[in-house]
Amino acid sequence: MNYEIKNEYIKAKIKSFGAELNSLQKIDKDLEYIWQGDAKYWARHSPILFPIVGRLKEDSYFYKNQKYKMSQHGIARDKEFEVVNKKDDFIEFRLCSDEKSLEIYPFDFELYLSYKLEKNSLIVTYKVKNKSDGKMFFSIGAHPAFNWSLEEDLKKEDYFLEFDVSNSKRYFLNELGLVYDSTNLEFEEKKLFLNEELFKDDALVFNDLNIKQVIFKSLKSDKFIKVNFENFPYLGIWSKPSSAPFLCIEPWFGVADDKNSNQNFEDKKGIITLQKDEVFSCFYSIEV
């Protein structure tokens, strides 16, 4: 089911399947900010990445000497969530572990996603509860896709990303989606000018707690998207280098496996540990 929330400034729609944001608009405008999905390019809108971000080496991992298979970005994006709270400008979804999830991911959990409108911003909050008897290991991340461009008369090359830092550590992904190298990337006056060629070797992945904000905009327009995300250690920027008309700005707590990973889940790069009954929470916002 698709639910709508709104205030006097903006409105959003979120599907119960995957608790996935699929629309964000200003009340008085027809402009759609969220990519509407097209299987020709990429059929999703804004999936949640849980309990892994990115790809595992050989799409598998080991926990307590047992091997588990898990595909890229985990299981939550393909699960039906239940609504646990709904107001005009707020909605909260919940996903609980079950027998099927335990076959892939051997931890009992409760995962909450909430969406709250405040003026021209949508605040997205993730909350993870460890319901297992022992420690729980996981990663979590966002994957919102935005229309690129935001106006019909502008080209993709008219857009840039404005960062709040002058340079950052960038990871490189190989053809298997695994981290294999890193470098320091300098931004031109804190700007990364966009073109399809940027994504010929997959996503741009940054490891930098100093990045707390990215603005997607053009010098030829006053329309913009500002994504705020304090304390997220990783950031992905992605599109498909096939004239795909979307751009993803992805704050992450977690990252793909290193090509030399030992595949032990407890040793995974960017993994989060929760003790029994402990709760992890984080949030990011989208301002338009």
Side-chain angles (χ1 to χ4, degrees), residues 34-217:
I34 299 297
W35 164 245
Q36 290 302 287
D38 182 342
K40 176 182 176 182
Y41 302 105
W42 188 61
R44 301 181 189 266
H45 314 275
S46 180
I48 180 175
L49 316 182
F50 174 88
I52 59 170
V53 171
R55 191 173 292 282
L56 296 168
K57 184 177 180 180
E58 299 175 4
D59 289 325
S60 60
Y61 67 95
F62 292 91
Y63 178 68
K64 292 187 175 179
N65 297 317
Q66 184 170 339
K67 185 176 182 179
Y68 296 88
K69 299 284 288 185
M70 191 185 299
S71 59
Q72 186 179 30
H73 296 324
I75 59 177
R77 62 183 182 169
D78 294 319
K79 295 284 191 179
E80 184 73 23
F81 284 64
E82 64 174 323
V83 176
V84 294
N85 195 351
K86 171 75 167 70
K87 300 177 183 177
D88 288 345
D89 62 355
F90 174 83
I91 190 166
E92 184 175 30
F93 298 87
R94 177 174 63 193
L95 176 69
C96 298
S97 53
D98 56 27
E99 287 186 11
K100 193 169 183 179
S101 71
L102 289 168
E103 294 174 0
I104 303 169
Y105 177 65
F107 302 96
D108 283 308
F109 66 85
E110 290 181 0
L111 170 63
Y112 294 83
L113 259 74
S114 70
Y115 296 85
K116 169 72 173 175
L117 299 178
E118 290 189 2
K119 294 186 177 180
N120 287 317
S121 293
L122 172 66
I123 300 169
V124 185
T125 301
Y126 300 154
K127 186 165 65 176
V128 182
K129 290 185 178 182
N130 178 14
K131 307 298 287 185
S132 300
D133 288 333
K135 292 180 182 179
M136 172 180 166
F137 302 91
F138 72 97
S139 296
I140 194 165
H143 202 316
F146 305 103
N147 283 320
W148 180 21
S149 65
L150 297 175
E151 296 189 60
E152 289 184 5
D153 58 343
L154 293 186
K155 297 180 292 187
K156 297 171 79 171
E157 292 77 13
D158 291 328
Y159 285 84
F160 61 89
L161 296 178
E162 186 172 275
F163 290 80
D164 49 355
V165 297
S166 299
N167 59 80
S168 184
K169 180 180 180 180
R170 180 195 170 184
Y171 286 134
F172 291 94
L173 304 177
N174 65 18
E175 67 279 2
L176 299 176
L178 305 178
V179 175
Y180 74 93
D181 199 3
S182 65
T183 189
N184 190 64
L185 180 63
E186 295 283 342
F187 300 126
E188 185 179 331
E189 296 182 343
K190 297 186 177 180
K191 296 179 177 66
L192 176 65
F193 291 90
L194 295 170
N195 59 73
E196 291 182 11
E197 186 72 9
L198 278 174
F199 307 105
K200 64 182 176 63
D201 297 319
D202 209 331
L204 283 70
V205 179
F206 299 100
N207 177 202
D208 193 341
L209 279 166
N210 292 316
I211 301 178
K212 300 175 182 179
Q213 175 183 283
V214 176
I215 307 174
F216 173 49
K217 60 183 180 179

